[in-house]
Amino acid sequence: MNPLVFVSIPFNLLKEKYLPLVLAHRINVEVSLNAFSLDNYPYSTFKEIAVQLKNQGLLTTVHLPFIDLSIGSVDLWIREVSFKRIFLAVERASLFQPLNLVLHSGYSYNYHEIKEEWREQFIENLNKLLDFIREENLFLSLENVYEPTPEFMLPIFEAFYGKIGWCFDPAHGRVFSKKDELQWLQTLYPYLKEIHCHDNLGEEDDHLAVGKGVLKFEAVFHFLKEKKIVPILTSEAHNEEDTYVNLEVLTKTWKKLREVTA
């Protein structure tokens, strides 16, 4: 089995710059769908890229748009436009037949003061989104971003047990939450589907190569080995040099994890 290791690439950069490199080196891609791409490329362009990837036997995941979007918003208009944007993205995503869709919840500790009310609103609206995603025969994973603790997210995963997965972002856990990456993993590992792999220096979301920062990736991978979990591993380094470093590290890691469960 080919390693389930992916590189995150915005669709517009995939189309305009990186597709030849991806095809030549047979790189699996997490296609990041942003507002610019959805507004500036027709359906036929998404289909064309999807066909080229599939013809080469390459696998995909898709990161749904997230900037300024919140399906759990207390503002009805914000919820409606968020659904509209995400529904369009899911429609485009279906062309790629991705192994996973990644969604940010839209939660922000800066202004969602009543956490329980926000979570109830989010769960209700996530149900609506999942109805559409199931129609497209796709699977959704929720990524941790600004959520304060894994315990805050746990009721969401419990409410949708077996219906959604968790996209673990250790770097987000380290810089945006009250608990470190291992505490996140120890709480939510039963729901783990994918890991966004990038490092930082503990203050900002630097998106460095794994090993260039302070995150406890060796401990994370050791934990996965003990639990016999083999998730999708996706590089989210933000430059080409670090991306190549990640590809080497993550491919070796995935193969080692796979050996434990083989």
Side-chain angles (χ1 to χ4, degrees):
M1 181 179 185
N2 292 330
L4 295 182
V5 174
F6 295 72
V7 173
S8 174
I9 306 176
F11 180 83
N12 52 303
L13 291 180
L14 180 64
K15 169 68 172 67
E16 305 300 337
K17 183 177 182 180
Y18 288 116
L19 184 61
L21 190 64
V22 163
L23 297 176
H25 292 275
R26 300 191 55 76
I27 298 171
N28 297 325
V29 181
E30 177 150 293
V31 182
S32 184
L33 297 180
N34 52 37
F36 176 87
S37 296
L38 292 169
D39 290 342
N40 286 278
Y41 293 99
Y43 179 90
S44 58
T45 300
F46 288 92
K47 185 175 182 180
E48 173 192 345
I49 301 299
V51 168
Q52 290 187 64
L53 293 172
K54 282 187 282 188
N55 285 345
Q56 291 295 317
L58 299 177
L59 302 174
T60 59
T61 55
V62 170
H63 199 307
L64 298 173
F66 59 88
I67 294 177
D68 296 330
L69 303 180
S70 177
I71 65 169
S73 174
V74 296
D75 188 317
L76 174 61
W77 288 11
I78 299 300
R79 291 202 305 274
E80 288 183 347
V81 76
S82 296
F83 273 119
K84 184 176 180 180
R85 174 63 78 191
I86 293 171
F87 282 173
L88 174 61
V90 172
E91 180 188 61
R92 296 293 186 267
S94 66
L95 294 169
F96 295 89
Q97 297 179 331
L99 298 181
N100 195 30
L101 297 176
V102 177
L103 175 72
H104 291 189
S105 73
Y107 176 83
S108 174
Y109 49 74
N110 291 322
Y111 51 84
H112 292 134
E113 296 179 0
I114 306 176
K115 297 180 178 62
E116 291 74 18
E117 288 187 11
W118 177 89
R119 191 169 53 207
E120 290 175 4
Q121 179 80 33
F122 178 78
I123 288 173
E124 178 181 342
N125 289 294
L126 182 57
N127 243 325
K128 300 174 185 177
L129 177 58
L130 286 175
D131 285 342
F132 182 66
I133 287 173
R134 282 192 289 266
E135 288 178 7
E136 299 293 331
N137 295 313
L138 300 175
F139 186 84
L140 179 76
S141 290
L142 189 62
E143 179 181 356
N144 60 290
V145 186
Y146 295 116
E147 294 83 3
T149 65
E151 288 79 12
F152 173 68
M153 295 188 78
L154 184 58
I156 299 172
F157 291 108
E158 290 175 336
F160 295 100
Y161 185 79
K163 298 178 181 179
I164 66 169
W166 175 37
C167 179
F168 176 32
D169 195 307
H172 290 169
R174 172 59 70 98
V175 298
F176 296 140
S177 82
K178 298 176 182 178
K179 295 195 174 182
D180 72 15
E181 58 272 26
L182 287 178
Q183 291 171 305
W184 276 85
L185 185 57
Q186 289 161 359
T187 301
L188 296 179
Y189 76 87
Y191 309 97
L192 185 61
K193 174 77 172 180
E194 178 176 345
I195 303 180
H196 280 171
C197 300
H198 55 106
D199 216 327
N200 62 56
L201 301 178
E203 298 293 333
E204 303 290 339
D205 195 17
D206 301 308
H207 284 267
L208 307 173
V210 170
K212 287 191 173 183
V214 300
L215 269 76
K216 305 171 185 175
F217 273 105
E218 285 190 14
V220 167
F221 296 144
H222 180 73
F223 181 92
L224 297 178
K225 186 176 180 180
E226 284 189 331
K227 297 295 184 182
K228 297 185 178 181
I229 300 172
V230 189
I232 294 167
L233 300 179
T234 301
S235 169
E236 276 202 339
H238 276 186
N239 63 64
E240 291 184 24
E241 178 184 344
D242 281 359
T243 296
Y244 284 117
V245 171
N246 269 2
L247 276 174
E248 182 176 355
V249 170
L250 298 179
T251 299
K252 289 179 180 178
T253 299
W254 194 93
K255 288 179 177 178
K256 289 179 181 178
L257 292 174
R258 180 68 177 173
E259 287 173 1
V260 176
T261 61

